[in-house]
Amino acid sequence: MGGSLEHELEALVWRRLEALQSAGGVGIDPEALRPLAIASDFALDTLRRQPALLAARHALPAPPVLDPAAPEAAMAALRRWRAAASTVLVARDVDGLDPVEATLAGSTRIAEQALALALAQAEGELAPRFGTVRDAAGQAQRLVVFALGKLGGGELNFSSDIDLVYAHAGPGSSDGPRVLEAEAYFVRLGQRLGQLLGEPTAEGFCHRVDLRLRPFGDSGRLVMGFEAMDAYFQREGRDWERYAWIKARAVAGDIEAGEAWLRGLRPFVYRRYLDFTALDALRGMKAMIEAEVARRDMADDLKRGPGGIREVEFLVQALQLIRGGREPALRQRGLLPALAALAGAGHLAPATAARLAEAYRFLRRVENRVQMLRDAQTHALPADPLDRLRIARGLGYADAAALDAALGGHRAVVAEEFAAVLGSGRRAAPPPGPLAAYWQALPEGGEARVLAEAGFADATAADEALRRLAGSALRRSLSPRAAAWFDGILPVLIAQAAASEAPDASLARAIALLGAIGRRSSYFALLAEQPAALERLVAVCADSALLAERLTEQPQLLDELLDVRAAGPLPEPEGIAAEFAALAALPEDAEAALLALNERRHSLAFRIGLAWRAGRLDAVAATRLLARVAEAVLVDALRLARHEVERAHGRLPDGEFAVLGYGSIGAEELGFASDLDLVFVHGGALASVSDGPRPLDAPRWYLRLAQKLVALLDTPTAAGRLYEVDVRLRPDGAQGLLVVHEASYAGYQRERAWTWEHQALVRMRPLAGDAGLLARLEALRGEILARERDPVALAADVAVMRERMRRELDRSDALHLDLKQGEGGLVDLEFFLQQAVLRHAARHPALRAPRHSVDLLRALEAEGLLDAGTARGLVEAHAALVAASLACTLDHRPRRVARARLGDTPARLAALLAAKA
């Protein structure tokens, strides 16, 4: 059999090359054309018809010039050109000049050029009778041609139909001898466009046009206005259409108007919240395709068969739809760029993405070769043994069996990854037993004793809460699909809450969260699809009132409970700045930018809280990271504020602005609910005036900037608010200017500041603004700290201020310690460090740079001003107090703790400080 096939292949190649030579291919090199003869009858037939191509078979021919007065000639020219250009793609692929990406891009370019030529031809043909469509203002309108599918993604098959949707901008009428309304004109134009490209002639076809993806499909209007399209997607849009429109691109006609409309469609395709409903819809689509494959025996289908191209596309598009609303980098039209973006964002392991990309390239190359054989729109390996051998040889394999083995390996990779991401076995199964039966019996049935036996202390209260939830308007309003998710989640949630460290609190907080997310069924899908996320949700509700509250207020934070986020590495400080810097590049309006800033800030803070609760991050490191988040937020918020002020009032020539951080933000010791102590300083000439439509002098311009910045930080959004701001540490306090000039700030610090204000400088850090001014203010800080001071007077001033603060703010009593203000608390350590810096920085310059308490303790030790044992003891005490403080914040308790819970930490710290006083 093998020998017979070899003989047939040799005979076929010889006949093809002989026919080519007979048709005018004089002087051809049979060996050079042998691979092409093996791979493609279509290419050899084209060369036979157009022998001039032989000498330039690796160079794409120029598109033809069409004449609207000669429609038949135009159709013939289009078809000859498309055949010639496609033959060049075959030759370049077969001769090893192009990777598969270049072949797909080449097919895409040919289709785009054909569309542009055919549309211009159709418009030219209609113009004498109907003229040009114009809107009410007299502006010309053109048809908008959207490409979906492979053409939209820039990765068109060699021989594929092109999925198009026609649209137009809005009402209008033509201005020719015969007047048509816009839609009637564009319907005629679209019909003619389809004929020019797809109608078979003696020259074959140019491109088959498929219009079935338009709104309402075959029963829908051929062309719709943008307003009608908007109404359709708002009211009728289906899940599968979200997948289809991921790749949508305006490719012909009024491309600018088409792309603008697609930006408006983005919320339909990409939801702002995590959207795990995409997985459920995808399973339904995949099940229908699998049924068709089984029914029609399509196991060899490279596109729809098991482990085929469609599975790679489904996998990637599902992940895009789930997260693309919150992560613009994932909104890629092409599959390979989307794979890279998913890996870059951590949603696919790099090795997984690489394996899928390799399999996808292989499958697309084989698919192309199948189609190149006879320019047929097929996706299945041929059943004919000789054809199968030709494809195998063309791809470099000895025989069809070797190709099948390689293909099987790649399809296995795809099938495995597809099952891992989209398989239906990942859902949390309701635990069998009394809790599941209890939930199913609600609201009429069920007994509270089941909850008591499960471990709930106040089973009656828990029973009442669950009974209310089961009979609530929320539960009744759910769609059948959402109700199935909801009823699958609840028994698991109850069981996990019962097994947690705080069953009653965990359940109550989880029920509150379910009520908050009830209008967005996608969150129920997330918890049903991701059992680990549900488990972490219950743990968060048990461990932290604050984090549970944040989840309830901002359900988009559920994303942080997923495996890849909750168990993955935390960003480095530099990575935090980079995450926020990436937001600045997004072309969104101020409101959208502020919302994105809030989402990023709260997601990072939530992730840090999870990491600390899980023991993957110590308390001191958590406060440093929280401070870095706040600093990055300030930089981006200042950018937004400056943009708003400049838009209203113009720019200031040679102006400078600086944001100084004091207190916990300056020292990089920020808590989960800390406010920001900020001071604003500006430089430049006071007489400067901005150059905008409503000019302001420098003091008022910078006042507006500071006010806008504070407002942005404190503005409520759907994702919460950024930070509360305290500006009372500015020169002269509440009576002083909100923004002070650099000279006034320096004069105040040098001549009028109190000792406590110089203490505050120890923790002050320039955070955001113009680099030159920030550097000068840093130098000023160093100058003030380096002053010689009378140690006795300094100690007296510090003691007076500390005693005043303790008298006014300390909430300690015999049994409880105020972690911040109490004796042996954090402020005692801060005052000790501030006094040490002010006393010794003149002769020990190394003390001027650190701000953080631990860094200052290390510097004092390094300078010989603190012995190693004392430094170590203070570092340990500081860590214990910070951990206790964070725990109080996360549990919504005042930072006032039973002394018994702290052991000897406060007394030890007080004793160490007293010994060094």
Side-chain angles (χ1 to χ4, degrees):
M1 179 70 176
S4 174
L5 276 180
E6 289 285 350
H7 178 75
E8 286 185 54
L9 179 58
E10 289 301 321
L12 181 144
V13 169
W14 183 83
R15 288 196 305 273
R16 291 289 180 185
L17 293 176
E18 186 179 59
L20 177 59
Q21 194 162 19
S22 300
V26 181
I28 65 169
D29 180 354
E31 281 306 309
L33 290 174
R34 177 182 169 80
L36 194 61
I38 291 174
S40 177
D41 291 346
F42 161 75
L44 267 288
D45 288 342
T46 304
L47 290 174
R48 184 170 52 80
R49 291 191 179 98
Q50 303 183 49
L53 280 174
L54 273 167
R57 65 181 183 275
H58 294 148
L60 286 169
V65 176
L66 306 183
D67 181 1
E72 298 300 324
M75 292 178 71
L78 273 173
R79 283 149 179 74
R80 284 195 299 272
W81 169 76
R82 181 260 168 186
S86 297
T87 296
V88 169
L89 293 184
V90 179
R92 292 184 62 85
D93 180 26
V94 169
D95 292 341
L97 298 179
D98 286 339
V100 68
E101 295 96 323
T103 306
L104 300 175
S107 294
T108 300
R109 278 195 306 275
I110 292 169
E112 290 169 349
Q113 289 177 308
L115 275 165
L117 289 167
L119 181 58
Q121 172 73 18
E123 288 170 334
E125 291 177 14
L126 267 59
R129 294 181 65 198
F130 305 110
T132 299
V133 172
R134 298 188 182 276
D135 62 17
Q139 295 294 314
Q141 287 192 36
R142 295 190 73 197
L143 184 69
V144 179
V145 181
F146 293 112
L148 281 66
K150 299 290 197 308
L151 178 56
E155 48 199 17
L156 190 64
N157 303 341
F158 177 79
S159 184
S160 174
D161 56 8
I162 51 177
D163 295 307
L164 303 181
V165 173
Y166 300 150
H168 66 99
S173 58
S174 66
D175 60 4
R178 183 177 172 189
V179 176
L180 289 178
E181 291 301 308
E183 184 171 322
Y185 171 88
F186 288 123
V187 166
R188 286 179 183 252
L189 185 65
Q191 289 170 334
R192 181 56 182 154
L193 177 59
Q195 291 170 348
L196 284 166
L197 292 173
E199 188 174 282
T201 71
E203 300 282 350
F205 63 91
C206 183
H207 286 87
R208 309 173 194 89
V209 174
D210 189 336
L211 299 171
R212 291 175 297 174
L213 294 181
R214 67 186 186 272
F216 299 109
D218 283 336
S219 60
R221 304 194 319 253
L222 191 71
V223 185
M224 292 177 71
F226 285 165
E227 193 172 314
M229 299 263 288
D230 289 335
Y232 171 83
F233 285 109
Q234 287 171 13
R235 300 171 191 164
E236 307 284 346
R238 290 156 289 181
D239 286 329
W240 69 261
E241 288 175 301
R242 295 177 59 207
Y243 284 87
W245 284 83
I246 284 178
K247 294 178 179 291
R249 183 167 58 95
V251 292
D254 194 341
I255 292 176
E256 183 178 347
E259 287 297 309
W261 183 82
L262 283 174
R263 287 192 289 274
L265 186 68
R266 190 180 296 158
F268 168 74
V269 178
Y270 294 109
R271 308 292 160 82
R272 280 207 64 84
Y273 45 87
L274 276 178
D275 188 18
F276 275 83
T277 61
L279 290 184
D280 208 54
L282 188 55
R283 288 196 189 96
M285 292 159 56
K286 176 61 178 168
M288 288 190 293
I289 291 171
E290 285 176 341
E292 180 187 13
V293 169
R295 184 173 66 253
R296 296 171 57 185
D297 190 19
M298 298 166 65
D300 274 340
D301 194 294
L302 297 161
K303 181 178 180 180
R304 290 165 289 187
I309 294 164
R310 185 60 60 81
E311 287 194 359
V312 187
E313 293 173 336
F314 277 176
L315 183 155
V316 170
Q317 289 174 325
L319 295 178
Q320 285 181 280
L321 288 181
I322 289 167
R323 303 175 183 281
R326 296 182 61 195
E327 300 181 48
L330 303 184
R331 300 171 194 165
Q332 304 288 335
R333 286 160 167 155
L335 186 134
L336 290 172
L339 256 181
L342 288 166
H347 303 310
L348 278 176
T352 297
R355 287 178 1 136
L356 286 171
E358 182 183 1
Y360 178 76
R361 290 186 181 99
F362 184 88
L363 289 165
R364 292 304 304 273
R365 188 160 186 242
V366 176
E367 179 190 48
N368 267 349
R369 288 301 183 89
V370 168
Q371 295 179 351
M372 286 173 177
L373 189 63
R374 296 187 181 89
D375 194 22
Q377 187 185 1
T378 179
H379 306 280
L381 285 169
D384 180 77
L386 179 58
D387 285 348
R388 207 157 178 136
L389 176 62
R390 292 177 67 184
I391 290 168
R393 285 289 174 82
L395 289 167
Y397 293 94
D399 52 32
L403 172 60
D404 289 345
L407 183 60
H410 287 294
R411 293 177 75 157
V413 167
V414 173
E416 177 187 347
E417 299 299 342
F418 182 83
V421 174
L422 302 180
S424 58
R426 304 184 67 191
R427 299 185 180 190
L435 284 176
Y438 164 79
W439 172 254
Q440 290 163 5
L442 294 181
E444 290 82 10
E447 297 181 16
R449 66 170 179 79
V450 175
L451 299 178
E453 292 168 359
F456 291 96
D458 190 346
T460 301
D463 175 69
E464 290 174 356
L466 288 166
R467 205 171 290 278
R468 282 194 301 271
L469 180 64
S472 66
L474 161 65
R475 174 63 184 80
R476 293 195 304 273
S477 67
L478 295 176
S479 68
R481 183 170 63 165
W485 289 325
F486 188 82
D487 290 336
I489 291 167
L490 258 296
V492 181
L493 187 150
I494 297 168
Q496 291 180 352
S500 72
E501 294 182 2
D504 296 78
S506 179
L507 182 64
R509 293 165 184 168
I511 289 174
L513 172 62
L514 293 177
I517 67 176
R519 288 176 296 174
R520 291 182 174 170
S521 60
S522 65
Y523 290 128
F524 296 141
L526 184 157
L527 296 172
E529 295 285 352
Q530 302 287 331
L534 180 58
E535 187 176 344
R536 288 191 178 94
L537 168 65
V538 173
V540 166
C541 290
D543 290 348
S544 172
L546 178 67
L547 294 183
E549 181 182 274
R550 293 279 166 85
L551 277 173
T552 302
E553 293 171 349
Q554 302 157 45
Q556 72 273 7
L557 292 175
L558 285 167
D559 186 19
E560 304 304 326
L561 299 176
L562 301 182
D563 296 8
V564 68
R565 292 283 178 83
L570 286 163
E572 297 294 325
E574 296 75 15
I576 289 173
E579 285 200 36
F580 284 96
L583 295 178
L586 301 181
E588 297 189 273
D589 58 38
E591 184 178 350
L594 183 61
L595 180 63
L597 190 59
N598 269 277
E599 287 179 346
R600 191 64 53 89
R601 172 260 196 269
H602 287 294
S603 69
L604 283 169
F606 190 83
R607 202 184 312 173
I608 292 166
L610 290 179
W612 181 62
R613 277 297 193 184
R616 297 192 296 117
L617 190 69
D618 66 66
V620 173
T623 61
R624 283 189 192 266
L625 281 179
L626 290 169
R628 288 302 185 97
V629 170
E631 184 177 351
V633 166
L634 278 169
V635 170
D636 209 44
L638 178 58
R639 175 188 61 81
L640 291 175
R642 190 184 292 271
H643 176 74
E644 292 290 301
V645 174
E646 287 178 350
R647 188 172 63 177
H649 303 291
R651 298 183 177 221
L652 270 177
D654 305 320
E656 294 177 297
F657 185 76
V659 181
L660 307 181
Y662 281 71
S664 57
I665 177 63
E668 295 185 287
E669 299 184 47
L670 202 65
F672 286 102
S674 297
D675 56 11
L676 305 183
D677 294 306
L678 303 180
V679 170
F680 306 119
V681 180
H682 77 91
L686 291 170
S688 293
V689 177
S690 64
D691 60 5
R694 288 179 288 158
L696 295 174
D697 59 34
R700 287 195 299 157
W701 196 96
Y702 285 115
L703 175 62
R704 289 276 200 284
L705 180 60
Q707 289 170 333
K708 174 58 71 173
L709 175 59
V710 172
L712 288 174
L713 293 171
D714 196 40
T715 296
T717 72
R721 70 181 71 207
L722 291 169
Y723 295 98
E724 292 185 17
V725 175
D726 190 335
V727 294
R728 291 175 296 175
L729 288 177
R730 64 188 186 270
D732 294 316
Q735 285 72 46
L737 296 171
L738 180 62
V739 187
V740 62
H741 190 271
E742 175 188 7
S744 300
Y745 180 82
Y748 183 88
Q749 294 294 344
R750 288 172 178 143
E751 300 165 14
R752 295 195 294 124
W754 297 85
T755 298
W756 69 265
E757 291 175 295
H758 285 172
Q759 286 180 244
L761 279 182
V762 172
R763 292 161 70 86
M764 186 276 278
R765 188 162 54 95
L767 298 177
D770 296 293
L773 179 57
L774 294 174
R776 294 195 300 275
L777 293 171
E778 175 68 11
L780 173 66
R781 173 184 175 275
E783 172 197 323
I784 300 298
L785 295 184
R787 283 184 175 180
E788 290 281 358
R789 289 176 172 84
D790 178 355
V792 175
L794 173 64
D797 286 348
V798 172
V800 167
M801 178 53 69
R802 183 69 194 100
E803 181 55 35
R804 176 183 167 186
M805 289 179 67
R806 181 169 288 133
R807 187 172 60 250
E808 295 176 359
L809 302 173
D810 186 6
R811 296 168 299 167
S812 303
D813 57 30
L815 297 178
H816 300 87
L817 175 74
D818 185 322
L819 292 169
K820 184 174 181 181
Q821 297 291 347
E823 184 176 1
L826 287 166
V827 173
D828 276 0
L829 178 59
E830 290 171 13
F831 268 55
F832 166 77
L833 293 171
Q834 291 161 8
Q835 180 179 339
V837 171
L838 294 179
R839 177 176 178 178
H840 297 293
R843 289 180 298 280
H844 295 272
L847 299 182
R848 300 171 199 167
R851 273 81 165 179
H852 194 282
S853 297
V854 173
D855 297 341
L856 285 167
L857 287 167
R858 299 297 187 208
L860 287 169
E861 180 186 359
E863 293 296 302
L865 300 170
L866 206 60
D867 63 84
T870 300
R872 183 171 61 253
L874 292 174
V875 167
E876 291 171 354
H878 171 263
L881 291 172
V882 169
S885 179
L886 289 186
C888 289
T889 302
L890 286 182
D891 208 29
H892 264 333
R893 290 183 284 113
R895 287 185 290 180
R896 184 170 169 269
V897 177
R899 294 182 184 274
R901 293 183 61 185
L902 294 169
D904 65 348
T905 295
R908 189 155 49 91
L909 187 144
L912 289 169
L913 296 181
K916 296 298 175 183

